[in-house]
Amino acid sequence: MAYISLVFLDVILPILILLGVGVILQKKFEFRLRPIANLVTYCFLPAAVFLNIYEADIDFELLGQLALYLVLFITAMMVVGEVLARALGLRGGERTALKNSVSLMNSGNYGLPVSHLVFSANPVGVSVQIIVLVVQNLLTFTYGLYNLRSNAKSVVELFRELLRLPIIYALAAAFILQAIDVELPSFISVPVEQLAGGFAALALLLLGMQLAQIEIRSFHRVIAWSALGRLVIGPAVALVIIFMLGIEGVIAQSLFIASAFPTSRNTATLALEYDVEPELHAQVVLYSTILSSITVTFVIYLSMQLF
């Protein structure tokens, strides 16, 4: 119990404080969030992704095992979302909200800062989380968009959406430069390091600002089932797959923790853009983020005990 309290104080509480500061700032100043979100997506996040992969000591033989895990985990969570939606008899936007909320995790604004705190002494853990982040972004703009408007975008249009994501190019550049062992000159490495250093705080402030705009109304049953699927069933599925594949050590810890992150904020953003139950999507994100302070604390503790 004492260790769980320590995990909460050292990892989760700092994140909640930054989220709270973001909520307060948004309530007071009513910032336009689109420019800030673009700044995070197109500047700070790519720098953080590039630097962490570039500086990590990655065993490339483990990437195949990691890829297999992600395929199995993502497929399993899609099945969980589909089964829950059918069991509840959901239709239309409610069905979409449940399926996307179970499958799509907030690996960026929430997950990466958590990983930085948990694995501050072991950058491999952060690198694993970055790969999960990239895969989740790819999933959001393929599976997530398909659920929202399956007839609105062609395969070519979805591919164009993916090519607009700067983290893909940052990840590729980092892998290439690390593989050929190129040392960055200081006039490039210094600004990249400064941008990467500012990502975690700005990302959490932005998430808090976004949560401040969500109105809490009637509690829909989808919220409860999506929280169960994302925060409880997700880590349970991940644990089974990790043991099944024989993954151990820091990589197992990072994957297990990553499976417990709350629903992606992008689900609410895209739902608003396509007008598919935007209020329900937003409330799912809000409740999932709040409840994750409890579940993520427990998963972090459990990961340190098991691996």
Side-chain angles (χ1 to χ4, degrees):
M1 187 66 184
Y3 187 78
I4 294 179
S5 300
L6 188 61
V7 169
F8 181 82
L9 290 175
D10 288 349
V11 179
I12 303 301
L13 187 57
I15 288 175
L16 293 179
I17 289 174
L18 283 172
L19 289 177
V21 172
V23 170
I24 294 171
L25 289 174
Q26 182 61 22
K27 293 288 186 182
K28 181 174 178 59
F29 298 107
E30 297 183 352
F31 293 108
R32 291 177 59 238
L33 299 188
R34 177 72 68 176
I36 302 176
N38 289 339
L39 189 63
V40 171
T41 301
Y42 289 93
C43 188
F44 286 85
L45 178 56
V49 167
F50 174 84
L51 189 66
N52 281 280
I53 293 296
Y54 175 75
E55 292 184 342
D57 183 16
I58 300 175
D59 184 351
F60 286 90
E61 292 182 0
L62 296 176
L63 289 180
Q65 191 179 39
L66 178 57
L68 178 58
Y69 164 86
L70 289 173
V71 169
L72 293 174
F73 177 73
I74 290 170
T75 301
M77 296 314 297
M78 288 180 181
V79 171
V80 168
E82 185 67 34
V83 169
L84 288 177
R86 291 189 180 187
L88 295 172
L90 300 177
R91 295 289 183 270
E94 293 179 352
R95 183 185 186 89
T96 298
L98 181 60
K99 290 172 64 177
N100 276 356
S101 65
V102 169
S103 301
L104 305 178
M105 305 179 294
N106 192 345
S107 301
N109 291 38
Y110 189 104
L112 200 51
V114 168
S115 294
H116 274 293
L117 289 172
V118 174
F119 300 108
S120 58
N122 196 331
V124 172
V126 179
S127 300
V128 170
Q129 174 55 38
I130 285 175
I131 294 173
V132 174
L133 163 63
V134 172
V135 172
Q136 279 291 312
N137 273 273
L138 296 176
L139 192 66
T140 298
F141 289 96
T142 50
Y143 175 76
L145 277 181
Y146 176 81
N147 284 334
L148 284 166
R149 294 291 287 273
S150 59
N151 61 345
K153 288 182 179 290
S154 66
V155 174
V156 174
E157 288 174 320
L158 289 173
F159 185 69
R160 287 175 180 170
E161 292 279 0
L162 294 177
L163 292 180
R164 292 170 55 189
L165 297 176
I167 60 171
I168 295 177
Y169 302 103
L171 183 72
F175 273 125
I176 292 172
L177 292 178
Q178 189 190 69
I180 61 179
D181 196 22
V182 173
E183 184 176 350
L184 292 178
S186 59
F187 66 84
I188 293 179
S189 62
V190 170
V192 169
E193 289 171 359
Q194 291 175 339
L195 288 172
F199 164 75
L202 184 58
L204 289 171
L205 289 174
L206 174 60
L207 181 57
M209 293 174 186
Q210 291 172 319
L211 295 178
Q213 295 184 323
I214 299 175
E215 296 182 9
I216 300 178
R217 298 184 180 180
S218 58
F219 189 87
H220 198 287
R221 61 175 179 159
V222 168
I223 298 173
W225 285 102
S226 67
L228 176 66
R230 174 83 299 281
L231 302 176
V232 179
I233 298 178
V237 169
L239 196 58
V240 171
I241 297 174
I242 289 170
F243 282 134
M244 183 177 69
L245 296 180
I247 303 174
E248 300 177 344
V250 174
I251 295 179
Q253 291 175 344
S254 184
L255 290 174
F256 185 37
I257 293 171
S259 71
F261 294 144
T263 298
S264 170
R265 64 176 177 81
N266 286 330
T267 60
T269 302
L270 292 174
L272 179 61
E273 181 178 345
Y274 291 101
D275 194 25
V276 180
E277 295 284 355
E279 291 185 1
L280 177 58
H281 278 84
Q283 290 189 63
V284 166
V285 172
L286 176 62
Y287 282 104
S288 177
T289 303
I290 293 173
L291 291 174
S292 70
S293 63
I294 300 173
T295 56
V296 172
T297 299
F298 178 74
V299 169
I300 292 173
Y301 163 76
L302 195 57
S303 70
M304 299 303 171
Q305 301 302 308
L306 293 175
F307 309 108

